[in-house]
């Protein structure tokens, strides 16, 4: 399947918290390299703007996370959680989800790609099929509180036997705007994020009581089921890993990324909360250095096949699909 031939226009949206500044800079450069986006929106605190301006990208737009809403910001979420459960630690986690939704009101393209700030693309990816349907990368997650909140706020039940949660989602701008209008109508005199927060069960609020991916995905299925389809063919399926940090630490270099691409991955997520083993990471980097050394010597280049096979087995990485 050819990439990017007459695809609909789209922008990219990346929400960046203070813990992801450095990895996000790598992500943005890789996004620029591999994806055909019109604009790259980075939503973050203005104290971080200078770090992203240094990237010198002409299609990079920096959005103040505390100015996107008229009457709502990070502190609003933190204050709400402190009143409800006396703990505001999850404020950033909820707030970034709301930002990814509210940004639809300023997006100019027909679509925008939500992309996680700790997920590095390694090669071009097509997000539409030849009929301009959005391609969905499904997962097997099934967290009950997400769907309880969904039913409370939109009167929609889970409509599929899979999860819409992955590290990205191609959103139809007008449909997200339609969903926000419905949420605002249901919220009456409230700003819609307060309405969502109030409909999360108190027992779930301290952990994970809402998912923007599951909410929008099930709204999409309920209102425009013909606008998307699951990735099915070998040329559409994506090979991914969420264990990038376990393999290479939380800040990979160019050679690391080249090796992950050689392993057949489309993208890798580098989560900061994973337990890291510095000795294993150092050993992996030595093996990668050997891999690129062997590539230069035809007589021992075949050893690389064993090295790659060992990496895949150790970290349960899928083989390339095509």
């Amino acid at each position: 399947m050819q990439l990017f031939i007459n695809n609909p226009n789209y922008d990219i949206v990346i929400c960046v918290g203070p813990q992801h500044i450095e990895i996000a800079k790598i992500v943005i450069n890789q996004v620029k390299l591999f994806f055909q986006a019109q604009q790259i929106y980075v939503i973050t605190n203005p104290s971080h703007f200078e770090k992203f301006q240094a990237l010198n990208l002409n299609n990079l737009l920096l959005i103040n996370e505390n100015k996107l809403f008229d009457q709502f910001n990070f502190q609003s979420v933190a204050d709400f959680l402190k009143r409800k459960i006396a703990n505001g630690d999850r404020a950033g986690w909820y707030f970034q989800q709301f930002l990814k939704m509210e940004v639809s009101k300023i997006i100019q393209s027909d679509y925008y790609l939500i992309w996680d700030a700790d997920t590095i693309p390694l090669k071009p990816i097509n997000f539409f099929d030849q009929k301009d349907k959005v391609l969905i990368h499904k997962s097997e997650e099934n967290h009950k509180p997400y769907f309880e909140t969904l039913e409370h706020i939109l009167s929609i039940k889970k409509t599929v036997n899979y999860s819409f949660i992955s590290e990205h989602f191609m959103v139809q701008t007008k449909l997200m705007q339609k969903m926000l209008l419905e949420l605002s109508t249901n919220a009456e005199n409230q700003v819609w994020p307060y309405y969502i927060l109030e409909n999360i069960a108190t027992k779930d609020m301290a952990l994970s009581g809402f998912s923007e991916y599951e909410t929008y995905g099930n709204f999409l299925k309920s209102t425009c089921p013909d606008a998307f389809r699951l990735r099915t063919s070998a040329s559409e399926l994506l090979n991914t890993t969420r264990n990038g940090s376990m393999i290479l630490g939380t800040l990979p270099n160019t050679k690391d990324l080249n090796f992950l691409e050689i392993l057949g991955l489309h993208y890798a997520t580098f989560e900061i909360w994973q337990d890291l083993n510095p000795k294993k990471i150092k050993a992996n980097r030595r093996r990668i250095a050997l891999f690129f050394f062997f590539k230069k010597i035809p007589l021992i280049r075949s050893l690389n096949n064993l090295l790659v096979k060992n990496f895949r087995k150790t970290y349960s990485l899928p083989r390339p699909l095509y």
Side-chain angles (χ1 to χ4, degrees):
M1 181 174 64
Q2 290 181 302
L3 291 172
F4 313 136
I5 302 300
N6 299 320
N7 273 352
N9 291 334
Y10 69 91
D11 295 327
I12 292 179
V13 171
I14 304 172
C15 285
V16 185
Q19 73 277 30
H20 287 134
I21 299 298
E22 295 307 314
I23 189 76
K25 290 193 290 186
I26 300 172
V27 169
I28 292 166
N29 279 323
Q30 293 287 102
V31 159
K32 175 72 172 178
L33 178 64
F34 291 126
F35 298 162
Q36 302 294 304
Q38 302 294 302
Q39 304 288 341
I40 301 172
Y41 290 78
V42 172
I43 308 175
T44 191
N45 190 284
S47 62
H48 309 314
F49 279 11
E50 187 175 349
K51 296 174 183 178
F52 294 109
Q53 289 166 342
L55 296 175
N56 292 318
L57 300 181
N58 57 13
N59 66 336
L60 183 66
L61 298 176
L62 298 171
I63 306 297
N64 183 340
E65 64 181 27
N66 287 312
K67 296 293 184 181
L68 194 56
F69 289 92
D70 290 334
Q71 307 171 52
F72 192 85
N73 54 32
F74 171 83
Q75 195 59 48
S76 302
V77 187
D79 291 344
F80 183 96
L81 294 178
K82 288 174 184 177
R83 287 195 304 270
K84 280 284 189 177
I85 57 173
N87 187 337
D89 290 349
R90 293 290 275 174
W93 189 81
Y94 284 110
F95 186 48
Q96 56 91 20
Q97 296 189 68
F98 301 150
L99 291 171
K100 294 171 188 175
M101 298 161 68
E102 182 72 7
V103 75
S104 65
K105 295 179 181 178
I106 65 171
I107 294 289
Q108 299 298 307
S109 296
D110 294 335
Y111 293 85
Y112 66 98
L113 175 66
I114 298 172
W115 191 268
D116 284 0
D118 60 357
T119 297
I120 301 179
L122 302 167
K123 60 178 66 177
I125 298 174
N126 208 347
F127 299 101
F128 302 91
D129 70 8
Q130 294 177 343
K131 296 181 180 179
D132 290 345
K133 291 188 176 185
V134 171
L135 292 170
I136 297 294
H137 180 60
K138 71 173 183 175
S139 69
E140 304 305 319
E141 187 166 338
N142 185 22
H143 187 54
K144 187 178 178 181
Y146 293 156
F147 307 107
E148 292 174 346
T149 303
L150 170 65
E151 189 167 359
H152 289 152
I153 61 176
L154 288 170
S155 299
I156 294 174
K157 294 185 178 182
K158 184 177 181 181
T159 55
V160 296
N161 61 358
Y162 53 85
S163 172
F164 287 98
I165 294 177
S166 63
E167 293 72 34
H168 69 280
F169 206 131
M170 182 63 75
V171 172
Q172 187 175 342
T173 307
K174 288 185 177 178
L175 187 61
M176 180 65 83
Q177 292 171 351
K178 180 180 178 182
M179 190 178 84
L180 293 188
L181 180 60
E182 188 167 331
L183 285 172
S184 296
T185 300
N186 294 343
E188 297 180 344
N189 296 324
Q190 291 178 305
V191 181
W192 64 263
Y194 281 127
Y195 173 68
I196 291 178
L197 289 170
E198 288 188 346
N199 278 282
I200 298 172
T202 303
K203 63 180 176 61
D204 300 318
M205 193 165 285
L207 296 175
S208 305
F210 172 75
S211 166
E212 83 280 35
Y213 285 160
E214 298 287 32
T215 299
Y216 174 77
N218 282 278
F219 186 80
L220 170 65
K221 174 65 176 177
S222 297
T223 56
C224 299
D226 295 328
F228 78 95
R229 67 175 179 81
L230 299 179
R231 295 179 181 274
T232 54
S233 68
S235 62
E236 294 170 346
L237 294 173
L238 301 180
N239 279 341
T240 71
T241 181
R242 297 186 67 175
N243 294 325
S245 295
M246 292 176 60
I247 303 171
L248 295 165
T250 56
L251 207 61
N253 59 39
T254 300
K255 187 173 288 186
D256 294 335
L257 300 181
N258 289 341
F259 182 72
L260 293 178
E261 192 277 331
I262 289 169
L263 289 178
L265 296 172
H266 290 83
Y267 60 77
T269 298
F270 293 79
E271 297 179 326
I272 59 174
W273 56 264
Q274 288 185 334
D275 291 331
L276 306 184
N277 186 322
K279 289 184 178 180
K280 284 187 178 180
I281 292 169
K282 189 175 181 179
N284 285 342
R285 287 216 158 103
R286 286 199 298 265
R287 292 158 70 200
I288 290 172
L290 279 175
F291 176 90
F292 287 106
F293 176 75
F294 290 162
K295 281 190 71 175
K296 301 175 184 178
I297 307 174
L299 292 178
I300 60 174
R301 196 179 296 166
S302 61
L303 292 175
N304 278 350
N305 293 331
L306 296 176
L307 196 152
V308 166
K309 184 178 180 179
N310 182 264
F311 257 97
R312 290 199 182 114
K313 181 178 180 180
T314 301
Y315 294 102
S316 300
L317 302 176
R319 293 182 58 83
L321 295 161
Y322 59 95

